[in-house]
């Protein structure tokens, strides 16, 4: 993060050719937002992203990149921000970034900024299937909002099952 006086440079490199490396990249935007919040005027930041999550698969790849930048820069600059402050910074870039900063298991409400930490449930079979088609996250959430979803047991019952680590009830929910 060393820079000559007045120098302002953020460079993003990635292993994925189709991923933008300019200021439209969430990691780039997270670095800039962090520096602005800290009041740093001179910087030279280099970010390298090793892309393992498919792009536009709805798996929060860009958000986890941004969260990693917030966490790494916070360490690099001597922990000037609490985790909660980083989450507040992150939500301005994307609703799921605070979730990625927090790590672990949590339920999220609102647009994702209201979180309750939950216990990790081990040995819970999970399948994620991706058909290779790119989907915009805002579009996907708009589609869900238009559906009349009526869970069999409700979200609170699901949360109770997770809190009690009752895998059988989680699966039923």
């Amino acid at each position: 993060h060393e820079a000559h006086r007045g120098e302002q440079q953020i460079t993003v490199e990635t292993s994925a050719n189709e991923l933008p490396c300019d200021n439209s990249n969430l990691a780039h935007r997270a670095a800039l937002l962090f520096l602005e919040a800290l009041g740093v005027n001179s910087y030279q930041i280099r970010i390298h992203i090793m892309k393992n999550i498919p792009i536009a698969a709805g798996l929060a790849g860009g958000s986890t990149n941004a969260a990693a930048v917030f966490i790494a820069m916070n360490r690099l600059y001597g922990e000037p921000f609490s985790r909660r402050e980083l989450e507040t910074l992150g939500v301005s870039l994307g609703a799921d970034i605070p979730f990625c900063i927090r790590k672990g298991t949590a339920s999220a409400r609102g647009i994702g900024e209201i979180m309750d930490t939950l216990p990790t449930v081990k040995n819970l079979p999970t399948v994620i299937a991706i058909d290779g088609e790119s989907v915009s996250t805002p579009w996907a959430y708009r589609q869900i909002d238009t559906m009349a979803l009526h869970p069999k047991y409700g979200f609170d019952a699901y949360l109770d099952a997770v809190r009690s680590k009752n895998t059988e009830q989680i699966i039923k929910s």
Side-chain angles (χ1 to χ4, degrees):
H1 73 91
E2 294 180 19
H4 300 304
R5 188 167 186 82
E7 183 177 12
Q8 296 180 330
Q9 181 180 8
I10 299 173
T11 305
V12 177
E13 301 166 348
T14 177
S15 62
N17 293 336
E18 62 273 21
L19 192 67
C21 291
D22 58 11
N23 61 2
S24 67
N25 184 293
L26 275 176
H28 184 286
R29 292 170 52 204
L32 185 59
L33 182 60
F34 180 93
L35 294 164
E36 288 173 351
L38 195 56
V40 174
N41 296 318
S42 296
Y43 50 85
Q44 186 174 7
I45 305 295
R46 183 173 165 244
I47 301 167
H48 180 79
I49 299 170
M50 179 62 75
K51 195 71 176 155
N52 293 313
I53 296 174
I55 294 172
L59 298 174
S63 295
T64 55
N65 293 342
V69 166
F70 280 125
I71 292 166
M73 290 186 69
N74 201 44
R75 286 184 189 150
L76 185 65
Y77 281 92
E79 307 281 343
F81 299 114
S82 68
R83 187 198 73 215
R84 182 67 192 129
E85 290 168 324
L86 290 177
E87 291 173 3
T88 300
L89 281 175
V91 78
S92 68
L93 294 180
D96 55 353
I97 293 174
F99 183 87
C100 297
I101 289 170
R102 179 161 304 195
K103 304 178 198 170
T105 305
S107 69
R109 296 178 190 258
I111 62 166
E113 82 287 7
I114 303 166
M115 290 181 283
D116 294 315
T117 301
L118 297 170
T120 299
V121 180
K122 297 184 184 218
N123 302 321
L124 184 63
T126 304
V127 175
I128 298 174
I130 302 169
D131 68 1
E133 187 175 329
S134 296
V135 174
S136 156
T137 301
W139 176 86
Y141 279 106
R142 282 194 304 272
Q143 299 309 305
I144 291 171
D145 287 344
T146 65
M147 296 177 184
L149 299 176
H150 302 287
K152 186 173 182 180
Y153 298 103
F155 190 63
D156 289 332
Y158 175 77
L159 290 179
D160 289 343
V162 171
R163 285 186 184 104
S164 65
K165 297 184 179 185
N166 183 336
T167 55
E168 193 172 306
Q169 191 61 38
I170 291 169
I171 293 167
K172 286 180 181 178
S173 299

